[in-house]
Amino acid sequence: MPIAVLMPAMALAYLTLALVTFGQRKPGYSHVVHTISELGEVGAPDARAVAWLVFFPVGLLQLLVAGLHFASTPLVALVAVCLGAGYVVAAVFPCDPGSPVSGSVRQGIHNLGGGVEYVCGGLGFLKAAGQFGAAFEVLGYAILVVAVALTVFPQTSVRGLVQRVGELGLFGGLSALVWISAGSSF
């Protein structure tokens, strides 16, 4: 099996390990309550490490996946670009403390990157449903619901959990698209 097929799953595994590691290092951090971005927020103890050792490489890996699939499976490339853009923007434009819905210009750009990741990723899955199966339609709508929930209910006590469910859907869905497009079956 070519490593390109495993790249989205490898990125998810790396991201998960990094989130657990850096989450343990940040005092008071909860994976259920706090967003992923808050590990790299302005002023966080490991902000630079999270930005450049986690968000940036995860984003670049997704952009590489997009490049590998651009000619053969543009829908796979579209979803990968959405994920990659969200993570690269998060690295370059760290969020304000608490990752609010509104704040500094930097926060606005950060949120725009997250919007691209979730909204365009969800729409990409909806589009992929016609070619790859109805499960991607369900996934696309679920990702869009997560995007709305994170925006409309930013102070919910399960914001981090909701985001992680969305991330699992995005990375898992991309992994499935790459796997299926490579001719593999589950």
Side-chain angles (χ1 to χ4, degrees):
M1 173 181 315
I3 194 159
V5 173
L6 299 175
M7 288 169 64
M10 290 169 27
L12 177 59
Y14 175 74
L15 178 63
T16 301
L17 178 62
L19 295 180
V20 169
T21 301
F22 285 108
Q24 291 173 343
R25 293 176 47 87
K26 185 174 182 190
Y29 186 82
S30 166
H31 293 285
V32 172
V33 176
H34 300 104
T35 65
I36 293 168
S37 295
E38 290 175 75
L39 290 171
E41 71 188 10
V42 171
D46 293 314
R48 292 176 67 87
V50 170
W52 300 110
L53 299 177
V54 182
F55 295 164
F56 196 72
V58 167
L60 283 182
L61 191 56
Q62 301 318 307
L63 295 175
L64 179 59
V65 169
L68 293 172
H69 291 274
F70 181 75
S72 61
T73 46
L75 288 173
V76 172
L78 170 68
V79 174
V81 164
C82 296
L83 268 72
Y87 275 87
V88 169
V89 168
V92 177
F93 297 96
C95 68
D96 294 344
S99 195
V101 173
S102 63
S104 67
V105 170
R106 180 189 57 246
Q107 179 68 42
I109 296 169
H110 180 90
N111 288 346
L112 181 61
V116 166
E117 179 181 355
Y118 281 88
V119 174
C120 295
L123 293 174
F125 287 133
L126 290 177
K127 182 75 172 158
Q131 182 178 346
F132 293 98
F136 290 102
E137 183 174 8
V138 172
L139 181 59
Y141 283 121
I143 297 299
L144 294 173
V145 166
V146 167
V148 169
L150 291 172
T151 305
V152 175
F153 306 108
Q155 300 307 318
T156 181
S157 62
V158 292
R159 183 179 183 205
L161 179 62
V162 169
Q163 184 190 32
R164 281 157 180 80
V165 168
E167 294 292 314
L168 182 60
L170 285 163
F171 280 89
L174 178 59
S175 295
L177 285 177
V178 168
W179 185 267
I180 293 167
S181 70
S184 303
S185 60
F186 289 105

